[in-house]
PDB file of all heavy atoms in Angstrom:
ATOM      1  N   ALA A   1      96.399  67.719  94.932  1.00 81.00           N
ATOM      2  CA  ALA A   1      96.790  69.167  95.043  1.00 81.00           C
ATOM      3  C   ALA A   1      96.617  69.615  96.491  1.00 81.00           C
ATOM      4  O   ALA A   1      97.461  70.333  96.993  1.00 81.00           O
ATOM      5  CB  ALA A   1      96.054  70.034  94.046  1.00 81.00           C
ATOM      6  N   LEU A   2      95.458  69.214  97.060  1.00 83.00           N
ATOM      7  CA  LEU A   2      95.246  69.629  98.468  1.00 83.00           C
ATOM      8  C   LEU A   2      96.317  69.084  99.428  1.00 83.00           C
ATOM      9  O   LEU A   2      96.759  69.765 100.361  1.00 83.00           O
ATOM     10  CB  LEU A   2      93.819  69.070  98.915  1.00 83.00           C
ATOM     11  CG  LEU A   2      92.641  70.066  98.695  1.00 83.00           C
ATOM     12  CD1 LEU A   2      91.431  69.315  98.955  1.00 83.00           C
ATOM     13  CD2 LEU A   2      92.776  71.212  99.573  1.00 83.00           C
ATOM     14  N   GLU A   3      96.724  67.859  99.171  1.00 83.00           N
ATOM     15  CA  GLU A   3      97.713  67.235 100.014  1.00 83.00           C
ATOM     16  C   GLU A   3      99.052  68.011  99.936  1.00 83.00           C
ATOM     17  O   GLU A   3      99.746  68.233 100.917  1.00 83.00           O
ATOM     18  CB  GLU A   3      97.997  65.785  99.630  1.00 83.00           C
ATOM     19  CG  GLU A   3      98.940  65.039 100.409  1.00 83.00           C
ATOM     20  CD  GLU A   3      99.160  63.547  99.972  1.00 83.00           C
ATOM     21  OE1 GLU A   3      98.447  63.102  99.035  1.00 83.00           O
ATOM     22  OE2 GLU A   3      99.984  62.880 100.616  1.00 83.00           O
ATOM     23  N   ALA A   4      99.400  68.390  98.728  1.00 81.00           N
ATOM     24  CA  ALA A   4     100.653  69.219  98.492  1.00 81.00           C
ATOM     25  C   ALA A   4     100.542  70.519  99.312  1.00 81.00           C
ATOM     26  O   ALA A   4     101.515  70.996  99.880  1.00 81.00           O
ATOM     27  CB  ALA A   4     100.858  69.452  97.004  1.00 81.00           C
ATOM     28  N   VAL A   5      99.459  71.191  99.122  1.00 85.00           N
ATOM     29  CA  VAL A   5      99.261  72.514  99.935  1.00 85.00           C
ATOM     30  C   VAL A   5      99.286  72.272 101.364  1.00 85.00           C
ATOM     31  O   VAL A   5      99.851  73.039 102.194  1.00 85.00           O
ATOM     32  CB  VAL A   5      98.019  73.225  99.477  1.00 85.00           C
ATOM     33  CG1 VAL A   5      97.874  74.583 100.253  1.00 85.00           C
ATOM     34  CG2 VAL A   5      98.055  73.542  97.928  1.00 85.00           C
ATOM     35  N   TYR A   6      98.648  71.190 101.839  1.00 86.00           N
ATOM     36  CA  TYR A   6      98.563  70.963 103.245  1.00 86.00           C
ATOM     37  C   TYR A   6      99.948  70.702 103.853  1.00 86.00           C
ATOM     38  O   TYR A   6     100.341  71.348 104.859  1.00 86.00           O
ATOM     39  CB  TYR A   6      97.773  69.671 103.519  1.00 86.00           C
ATOM     40  CG  TYR A   6      97.699  69.299 105.005  1.00 86.00           C
ATOM     41  CD1 TYR A   6      96.825  69.912 105.866  1.00 86.00           C
ATOM     42  CD2 TYR A   6      98.579  68.271 105.474  1.00 86.00           C
ATOM     43  CE1 TYR A   6      96.796  69.577 107.237  1.00 86.00           C
ATOM     44  CE2 TYR A   6      98.580  67.974 106.847  1.00 86.00           C
ATOM     45  CZ  TYR A   6      97.684  68.585 107.683  1.00 86.00           C
ATOM     46  OH  TYR A   6      97.680  68.226 108.991  1.00 86.00           O
ATOM     47  N   HIS A   7     100.851  70.026 103.167  1.00 84.00           N
ATOM     48  CA  HIS A   7     102.152  69.758 103.598  1.00 84.00           C
ATOM     49  C   HIS A   7     103.052  71.088 103.558  1.00 84.00           C
ATOM     50  O   HIS A   7     103.821  71.268 104.420  1.00 84.00           O
ATOM     51  CB  HIS A   7     102.874  68.662 102.888  1.00 84.00           C
ATOM     52  CG  HIS A   7     102.292  67.350 103.298  1.00 84.00           C
ATOM     53  ND1 HIS A   7     102.550  66.794 104.531  1.00 84.00           N
ATOM     54  CD2 HIS A   7     101.565  66.319 102.648  1.00 84.00           C
ATOM     55  CE1 HIS A   7     101.948  65.606 104.650  1.00 84.00           C
ATOM     56  NE2 HIS A   7     101.349  65.296 103.451  1.00 84.00           N
ATOM     57  N   THR A   8     102.772  71.894 102.548  1.00 82.00           N
ATOM     58  CA  THR A   8     103.453  73.187 102.363  1.00 82.00           C
ATOM     59  C   THR A   8     103.207  74.037 103.633  1.00 82.00           C
ATOM     60  O   THR A   8     104.074  74.651 104.160  1.00 82.00           O
ATOM     61  CB  THR A   8     102.932  73.925 101.118  1.00 82.00           C
ATOM     62  OG1 THR A   8     103.351  73.107  99.994  1.00 82.00           O
ATOM     63  CG2 THR A   8     103.655  75.287 101.028  1.00 82.00           C
ATOM     64  N   VAL A   9     101.944  74.057 104.074  1.00 87.00           N
ATOM     65  CA  VAL A   9     101.545  74.943 105.197  1.00 87.00           C
ATOM     66  C   VAL A   9     101.967  74.290 106.549  1.00 87.00           C
ATOM     67  O   VAL A   9     102.458  74.991 107.396  1.00 87.00           O
ATOM     68  CB  VAL A   9     100.039  75.193 105.092  1.00 87.00           C
ATOM     69  CG1 VAL A   9      99.564  75.990 106.366  1.00 87.00           C
ATOM     70  CG2 VAL A   9      99.718  75.954 103.886  1.00 87.00           C
ATOM     71  N   MET A  10     101.750  73.007 106.629  1.00 86.00           N
ATOM     72  CA  MET A  10     101.779  72.391 107.988  1.00 86.00           C
ATOM     73  C   MET A  10     103.083  71.783 108.363  1.00 86.00           C
ATOM     74  O   MET A  10     103.376  71.626 109.534  1.00 86.00           O
ATOM     75  CB  MET A  10     100.624  71.355 108.112  1.00 86.00           C
ATOM     76  CG  MET A  10      99.220  71.894 108.009  1.00 86.00           C
ATOM     77  SD  MET A  10      98.917  73.222 109.225  1.00 86.00           S
ATOM     78  CE  MET A  10      98.958  72.240 110.730  1.00 86.00           C
ATOM     79  N   ASP A  11     103.924  71.374 107.441  1.00 83.00           N
ATOM     80  CA  ASP A  11     105.217  70.764 107.776  1.00 83.00           C
ATOM     81  C   ASP A  11     106.097  71.671 108.513  1.00 83.00           C
ATOM     82  O   ASP A  11     106.927  71.169 109.396  1.00 83.00           O
ATOM     83  CB  ASP A  11     105.915  70.208 106.486  1.00 83.00           C
ATOM     84  CG  ASP A  11     105.278  68.894 105.965  1.00 83.00           C
ATOM     85  OD1 ASP A  11     104.345  68.484 106.561  1.00 83.00           O
ATOM     86  OD2 ASP A  11     105.715  68.466 104.908  1.00 83.00           O
ATOM     87  N   LYS A  12     106.036  72.985 108.276  1.00 81.00           N
ATOM     88  CA  LYS A  12     106.872  73.868 109.057  1.00 81.00           C
ATOM     89  C   LYS A  12     106.332  74.141 110.485  1.00 81.00           C
ATOM     90  O   LYS A  12     106.949  74.833 111.258  1.00 81.00           O
ATOM     91  CB  LYS A  12     106.918  75.255 108.312  1.00 81.00           C
ATOM     92  CG  LYS A  12     105.684  75.926 108.253  1.00 81.00           C
ATOM     93  CD  LYS A  12     105.820  77.233 107.334  1.00 81.00           C
ATOM     94  CE  LYS A  12     105.421  76.985 105.916  1.00 81.00           C
ATOM     95  NZ  LYS A  12     105.338  78.241 105.162  1.00 81.00           N
ATOM     96  N   ARG A  13     105.119  73.593 110.815  1.00 82.00           N
ATOM     97  CA  ARG A  13     104.457  73.855 112.077  1.00 82.00           C
ATOM     98  C   ARG A  13     104.374  72.494 112.883  1.00 82.00           C
ATOM     99  O   ARG A  13     103.507  72.350 113.740  1.00 82.00           O
ATOM    100  CB  ARG A  13     103.093  74.355 111.858  1.00 82.00           C
ATOM    101  CG  ARG A  13     103.105  75.732 111.331  1.00 82.00           C
ATOM    102  CD  ARG A  13     101.653  76.301 111.194  1.00 82.00           C
ATOM    103  NE  ARG A  13     101.623  77.714 110.961  1.00 82.00           N
ATOM    104  CZ  ARG A  13     101.614  78.283 109.749  1.00 82.00           C
ATOM    105  NH1 ARG A  13     101.771  77.496 108.671  1.00 82.00           N
ATOM    106  NH2 ARG A  13     101.652  79.574 109.614  1.00 82.00           N
ATOM    107  N   LEU A  14     105.220  71.533 112.594  1.00 77.00           N
ATOM    108  CA  LEU A  14     105.150  70.196 113.235  1.00 77.00           C
ATOM    109  C   LEU A  14     105.289  70.332 114.783  1.00 77.00           C
ATOM    110  O   LEU A  14     104.612  69.514 115.480  1.00 77.00           O
ATOM    111  CB  LEU A  14     106.266  69.309 112.702  1.00 77.00           C
ATOM    112  CG  LEU A  14     106.164  68.880 111.262  1.00 77.00           C
ATOM    113  CD1 LEU A  14     107.290  68.019 110.823  1.00 77.00           C
ATOM    114  CD2 LEU A  14     104.794  68.156 111.039  1.00 77.00           C
ATOM    115  N   ASN A  15     106.006  71.238 115.321  1.00 74.00           N
ATOM    116  CA  ASN A  15     106.216  71.366 116.759  1.00 74.00           C
ATOM    117  C   ASN A  15     105.481  72.565 117.377  1.00 74.00           C
ATOM    118  O   ASN A  15     105.827  73.024 118.428  1.00 74.00           O
ATOM    119  CB  ASN A  15     107.657  71.361 117.090  1.00 74.00           C
ATOM    120  CG  ASN A  15     108.408  70.081 116.599  1.00 74.00           C
ATOM    121  OD1 ASN A  15     107.815  68.993 116.919  1.00 74.00           O
ATOM    122  ND2 ASN A  15     109.512  70.217 116.005  1.00 74.00           N
ATOM    123  N   ILE A  16     104.500  73.078 116.630  1.00 77.00           N
ATOM    124  CA  ILE A  16     103.794  74.259 117.106  1.00 77.00           C
ATOM    125  C   ILE A  16     102.352  73.933 117.550  1.00 77.00           C
ATOM    126  O   ILE A  16     101.666  73.080 116.925  1.00 77.00           O
ATOM    127  CB  ILE A  16     103.682  75.290 115.948  1.00 77.00           C
ATOM    128  CG1 ILE A  16     105.115  75.816 115.611  1.00 77.00           C
ATOM    129  CG2 ILE A  16     102.878  76.534 116.307  1.00 77.00           C
ATOM    130  CD1 ILE A  16     105.098  76.855 114.508  1.00 77.00           C
ATOM    131  N   ASP A  17     101.947  74.441 118.702  1.00 77.00           N
ATOM    132  CA  ASP A  17     100.647  74.158 119.200  1.00 77.00           C
ATOM    133  C   ASP A  17      99.608  74.910 118.409  1.00 77.00           C
ATOM    134  O   ASP A  17      99.672  76.136 118.281  1.00 77.00           O
ATOM    135  CB  ASP A  17     100.605  74.687 120.658  1.00 77.00           C
ATOM    136  CG  ASP A  17      99.293  74.453 121.326  1.00 77.00           C
ATOM    137  OD1 ASP A  17      98.381  73.811 120.661  1.00 77.00           O
ATOM    138  OD2 ASP A  17      99.052  75.023 122.494  1.00 77.00           O
ATOM    139  N   ALA A  18      98.740  74.186 117.646  1.00 74.00           N
ATOM    140  CA  ALA A  18      97.796  74.733 116.756  1.00 74.00           C
ATOM    141  C   ALA A  18      96.404  74.840 117.358  1.00 74.00           C
ATOM    142  O   ALA A  18      95.358  74.988 116.657  1.00 74.00           O
ATOM    143  CB  ALA A  18      97.700  73.950 115.479  1.00 74.00           C
ATOM    144  N   SER A  19      96.391  74.855 118.746  1.00 78.00           N
ATOM    145  CA  SER A  19      95.071  74.842 119.380  1.00 78.00           C
ATOM    146  C   SER A  19      94.500  76.194 119.710  1.00 78.00           C
ATOM    147  O   SER A  19      93.378  76.437 119.942  1.00 78.00           O
ATOM    148  CB  SER A  19      95.226  74.116 120.726  1.00 78.00           C
ATOM    149  OG  SER A  19      96.044  74.686 121.683  1.00 78.00           O
ATOM    150  N   THR A  20      95.373  77.290 119.634  1.00 85.00           N
ATOM    151  CA  THR A  20      94.904  78.562 119.894  1.00 85.00           C
ATOM    152  C   THR A  20      94.276  79.208 118.708  1.00 85.00           C
ATOM    153  O   THR A  20      94.524  78.881 117.564  1.00 85.00           O
ATOM    154  CB  THR A  20      96.062  79.479 120.344  1.00 85.00           C
ATOM    155  OG1 THR A  20      96.973  79.716 119.244  1.00 85.00           O
ATOM    156  CG2 THR A  20      96.823  78.927 121.419  1.00 85.00           C
ATOM    157  N   GLN A  21      93.352  80.174 118.934  1.00 87.00           N
ATOM    158  CA  GLN A  21      92.572  80.740 117.896  1.00 87.00           C
ATOM    159  C   GLN A  21      93.538  81.546 116.983  1.00 87.00           C
ATOM    160  O   GLN A  21      93.354  81.587 115.715  1.00 87.00           O
ATOM    161  CB  GLN A  21      91.527  81.723 118.390  1.00 87.00           C
ATOM    162  CG  GLN A  21      90.333  81.020 118.959  1.00 87.00           C
ATOM    163  CD  GLN A  21      89.251  81.979 119.384  1.00 87.00           C
ATOM    164  OE1 GLN A  21      89.373  83.148 119.252  1.00 87.00           O
ATOM    165  NE2 GLN A  21      88.075  81.419 119.886  1.00 87.00           N
ATOM    166  N   GLN A  22      94.558  82.187 117.503  1.00 89.00           N
ATOM    167  CA  GLN A  22      95.464  82.952 116.726  1.00 89.00           C
ATOM    168  C   GLN A  22      96.238  82.078 115.795  1.00 89.00           C
ATOM    169  O   GLN A  22      96.380  82.432 114.602  1.00 89.00           O
ATOM    170  CB  GLN A  22      96.479  83.769 117.718  1.00 89.00           C
ATOM    171  CG  GLN A  22      97.457  84.517 116.931  1.00 89.00           C
ATOM    172  CD  GLN A  22      98.472  85.248 117.824  1.00 89.00           C
ATOM    173  OE1 GLN A  22      98.274  85.361 119.011  1.00 89.00           O
ATOM    174  NE2 GLN A  22      99.546  85.688 117.277  1.00 89.00           N
ATOM    175  N   VAL A  23      96.711  80.965 116.252  1.00 89.00           N
ATOM    176  CA  VAL A  23      97.511  80.110 115.332  1.00 89.00           C
ATOM    177  C   VAL A  23      96.555  79.438 114.289  1.00 89.00           C
ATOM    178  O   VAL A  23      96.957  79.319 113.135  1.00 89.00           O
ATOM    179  CB  VAL A  23      98.217  78.964 116.199  1.00 89.00           C
ATOM    180  CG1 VAL A  23      98.840  77.910 115.251  1.00 89.00           C
ATOM    181  CG2 VAL A  23      99.252  79.600 117.108  1.00 89.00           C
ATOM    182  N   LYS A  24      95.301  79.090 114.685  1.00 89.00           N
ATOM    183  CA  LYS A  24      94.436  78.572 113.734  1.00 89.00           C
ATOM    184  C   LYS A  24      94.159  79.532 112.612  1.00 89.00           C
ATOM    185  O   LYS A  24      94.054  79.178 111.427  1.00 89.00           O
ATOM    186  CB  LYS A  24      93.115  78.153 114.442  1.00 89.00           C
ATOM    187  CG  LYS A  24      93.191  76.855 115.247  1.00 89.00           C
ATOM    188  CD  LYS A  24      91.896  76.558 115.923  1.00 89.00           C
ATOM    189  CE  LYS A  24      92.070  75.233 116.747  1.00 89.00           C
ATOM    190  NZ  LYS A  24      90.803  74.983 117.492  1.00 89.00           N
ATOM    191  N   GLN A  25      93.952  80.849 113.036  1.00 91.00           N
ATOM    192  CA  GLN A  25      93.686  81.882 112.020  1.00 91.00           C
ATOM    193  C   GLN A  25      94.890  82.035 111.092  1.00 91.00           C
ATOM    194  O   GLN A  25      94.729  82.250 109.889  1.00 91.00           O
ATOM    195  CB  GLN A  25      93.442  83.246 112.724  1.00 91.00           C
ATOM    196  CG  GLN A  25      93.003  84.358 111.788  1.00 91.00           C
ATOM    197  CD  GLN A  25      91.686  84.037 111.029  1.00 91.00           C
ATOM    198  OE1 GLN A  25      90.643  83.839 111.772  1.00 91.00           O
ATOM    199  NE2 GLN A  25      91.726  83.896 109.812  1.00 91.00           N
ATOM    200  N   GLU A  26      96.138  81.985 111.670  1.00 91.00           N
ATOM    201  CA  GLU A  26      97.330  82.097 110.918  1.00 91.00           C
ATOM    202  C   GLU A  26      97.392  80.916 109.822  1.00 91.00           C
ATOM    203  O   GLU A  26      97.806  81.148 108.679  1.00 91.00           O
ATOM    204  CB  GLU A  26      98.581  82.097 111.752  1.00 91.00           C
ATOM    205  CG  GLU A  26      98.750  83.340 112.615  1.00 91.00           C
ATOM    206  CD  GLU A  26      99.943  83.218 113.612  1.00 91.00           C
ATOM    207  OE1 GLU A  26     100.520  82.134 113.603  1.00 91.00           O
ATOM    208  OE2 GLU A  26     100.181  84.230 114.296  1.00 91.00           O
ATOM    209  N   ILE A  27      96.974  79.729 110.229  1.00 91.00           N
ATOM    210  CA  ILE A  27      97.075  78.595 109.400  1.00 91.00           C
ATOM    211  C   ILE A  27      96.076  78.798 108.282  1.00 91.00           C
ATOM    212  O   ILE A  27      96.349  78.495 107.075  1.00 91.00           O
ATOM    213  CB  ILE A  27      96.735  77.353 110.184  1.00 91.00           C
ATOM    214  CG1 ILE A  27      97.963  77.022 111.070  1.00 91.00           C
ATOM    215  CG2 ILE A  27      96.549  76.113 109.226  1.00 91.00           C
ATOM    216  CD1 ILE A  27      97.712  75.863 112.064  1.00 91.00           C
ATOM    217  N   ILE A  28      94.778  79.193 108.581  1.00 92.00           N
ATOM    218  CA  ILE A  28      93.804  79.342 107.559  1.00 92.00           C
ATOM    219  C   ILE A  28      94.232  80.514 106.659  1.00 92.00           C
ATOM    220  O   ILE A  28      93.982  80.423 105.393  1.00 92.00           O
ATOM    221  CB  ILE A  28      92.398  79.611 108.194  1.00 92.00           C
ATOM    222  CG1 ILE A  28      91.972  78.444 108.994  1.00 92.00           C
ATOM    223  CG2 ILE A  28      91.378  79.911 107.130  1.00 92.00           C
ATOM    224  CD1 ILE A  28      91.848  77.165 108.260  1.00 92.00           C
ATOM    225  N   ASN A  29      94.813  81.554 107.187  1.00 91.00           N
ATOM    226  CA  ASN A  29      95.238  82.646 106.309  1.00 91.00           C
ATOM    227  C   ASN A  29      96.241  82.095 105.340  1.00 91.00           C
ATOM    228  O   ASN A  29      96.230  82.459 104.099  1.00 91.00           O
ATOM    229  CB  ASN A  29      95.964  83.726 107.187  1.00 91.00           C
ATOM    230  CG  ASN A  29      94.970  84.550 107.888  1.00 91.00           C
ATOM    231  OD1 ASN A  29      93.775  84.310 107.887  1.00 91.00           O
ATOM    232  ND2 ASN A  29      95.511  85.541 108.654  1.00 91.00           N
ATOM    233  N   GLU A  30      97.152  81.211 105.756  1.00 90.00           N
ATOM    234  CA  GLU A  30      98.179  80.684 104.825  1.00 90.00           C
ATOM    235  C   GLU A  30      97.532  79.699 103.828  1.00 90.00           C
ATOM    236  O   GLU A  30      97.892  79.741 102.628  1.00 90.00           O
ATOM    237  CB  GLU A  30      99.305  80.042 105.585  1.00 90.00           C
ATOM    238  CG  GLU A  30     100.493  79.670 104.558  1.00 90.00           C
ATOM    239  CD  GLU A  30     101.772  79.408 105.385  1.00 90.00           C
ATOM    240  OE1 GLU A  30     101.879  79.487 106.571  1.00 90.00           O
ATOM    241  OE2 GLU A  30     102.735  78.920 104.668  1.00 90.00           O
ATOM    242  N   PHE A  31      96.633  78.902 104.241  1.00 90.00           N
ATOM    243  CA  PHE A  31      95.899  78.055 103.336  1.00 90.00           C
ATOM    244  C   PHE A  31      95.250  78.913 102.211  1.00 90.00           C
ATOM    245  O   PHE A  31      95.262  78.547 100.984  1.00 90.00           O
ATOM    246  CB  PHE A  31      94.864  77.161 103.969  1.00 90.00           C
ATOM    247  CG  PHE A  31      95.333  75.865 104.571  1.00 90.00           C
ATOM    248  CD1 PHE A  31      95.166  75.615 105.916  1.00 90.00           C
ATOM    249  CD2 PHE A  31      96.105  74.980 103.813  1.00 90.00           C
ATOM    250  CE1 PHE A  31      95.604  74.438 106.516  1.00 90.00           C
ATOM    251  CE2 PHE A  31      96.556  73.851 104.440  1.00 90.00           C
ATOM    252  CZ  PHE A  31      96.372  73.581 105.758  1.00 90.00           C
ATOM    253  N   TYR A  32      94.691  80.014 102.626  1.00 90.00           N
ATOM    254  CA  TYR A  32      93.955  80.966 101.673  1.00 90.00           C
ATOM    255  C   TYR A  32      94.963  81.534 100.665  1.00 90.00           C
ATOM    256  O   TYR A  32      94.709  81.504  99.441  1.00 90.00           O
ATOM    257  CB  TYR A  32      93.254  81.986 102.424  1.00 90.00           C
ATOM    258  CG  TYR A  32      92.525  83.013 101.524  1.00 90.00           C
ATOM    259  CD1 TYR A  32      91.485  82.581 100.843  1.00 90.00           C
ATOM    260  CD2 TYR A  32      92.976  84.297 101.406  1.00 90.00           C
ATOM    261  CE1 TYR A  32      90.787  83.470  99.909  1.00 90.00           C
ATOM    262  CE2 TYR A  32      92.357  85.126 100.591  1.00 90.00           C
ATOM    263  CZ  TYR A  32      91.297  84.777  99.823  1.00 90.00           C
ATOM    264  OH  TYR A  32      90.541  85.641  99.015  1.00 90.00           O
ATOM    265  N   THR A  33      96.118  82.024 101.186  1.00 88.00           N
ATOM    266  CA  THR A  33      97.094  82.713 100.287  1.00 88.00           C
ATOM    267  C   THR A  33      97.717  81.629  99.390  1.00 88.00           C
ATOM    268  O   THR A  33      98.201  81.989  98.236  1.00 88.00           O
ATOM    269  CB  THR A  33      98.209  83.456 101.043  1.00 88.00           C
ATOM    270  OG1 THR A  33      98.860  82.564 101.915  1.00 88.00           O
ATOM    271  CG2 THR A  33      97.602  84.579 101.831  1.00 88.00           C
ATOM    272  N   GLU A  34      97.866  80.355  99.777  1.00 86.00           N
ATOM    273  CA  GLU A  34      98.406  79.248  98.971  1.00 86.00           C
ATOM    274  C   GLU A  34      97.432  78.779  97.912  1.00 86.00           C
ATOM    275  O   GLU A  34      97.760  77.964  97.058  1.00 86.00           O
ATOM    276  CB  GLU A  34      98.913  78.108  99.826  1.00 86.00           C
ATOM    277  CG  GLU A  34     100.088  78.442 100.686  1.00 86.00           C
ATOM    278  CD  GLU A  34     101.338  78.583  99.871  1.00 86.00           C
ATOM    279  OE1 GLU A  34     101.433  77.966  98.828  1.00 86.00           O
ATOM    280  OE2 GLU A  34     102.349  79.264 100.386  1.00 86.00           O
ATOM    281  N   GLY A  35      96.207  79.211  98.025  1.00 86.00           N
ATOM    282  CA  GLY A  35      95.104  78.908  97.018  1.00 86.00           C
ATOM    283  C   GLY A  35      94.419  77.581  97.318  1.00 86.00           C
ATOM    284  O   GLY A  35      93.763  77.084  96.432  1.00 86.00           O
ATOM    285  N   ALA A  36      94.547  77.102  98.579  1.00 88.00           N
ATOM    286  CA  ALA A  36      93.865  75.838  98.892  1.00 88.00           C
ATOM    287  C   ALA A  36      92.348  75.864  98.696  1.00 88.00           C
ATOM    288  O   ALA A  36      91.737  74.900  98.203  1.00 88.00           O
ATOM    289  CB  ALA A  36      94.153  75.447 100.367  1.00 88.00           C
TER     290      ALA A  36
END
């Protein structure tokens, strides 16, 4: 189930720089709303 949520959140960000705090926060926010 974790793998499915991970790909739901991250596959759309394959070409996005995830090193900034803002992007990391957006990613964690989405993991949270997806129920991870």
Side-chain angles (χ1 to χ4, degrees):
L2 268 173
E3 184 181 355
V5 178
Y6 177 80
H7 286 294
T8 298
V9 174
M10 298 304 296
D11 283 358
K12 66 183 95 171
R13 293 182 167 88
L14 292 178
N15 298 314
I16 295 177
D17 180 7
S19 64
T20 67
Q21 288 188 355
Q22 180 181 344
V23 174
K24 286 179 180 177
Q25 186 64 62
E26 290 173 356
I27 290 171
I28 297 300
N29 285 3
E30 189 165 354
F31 275 127
Y32 180 68
T33 58
E34 291 288 336

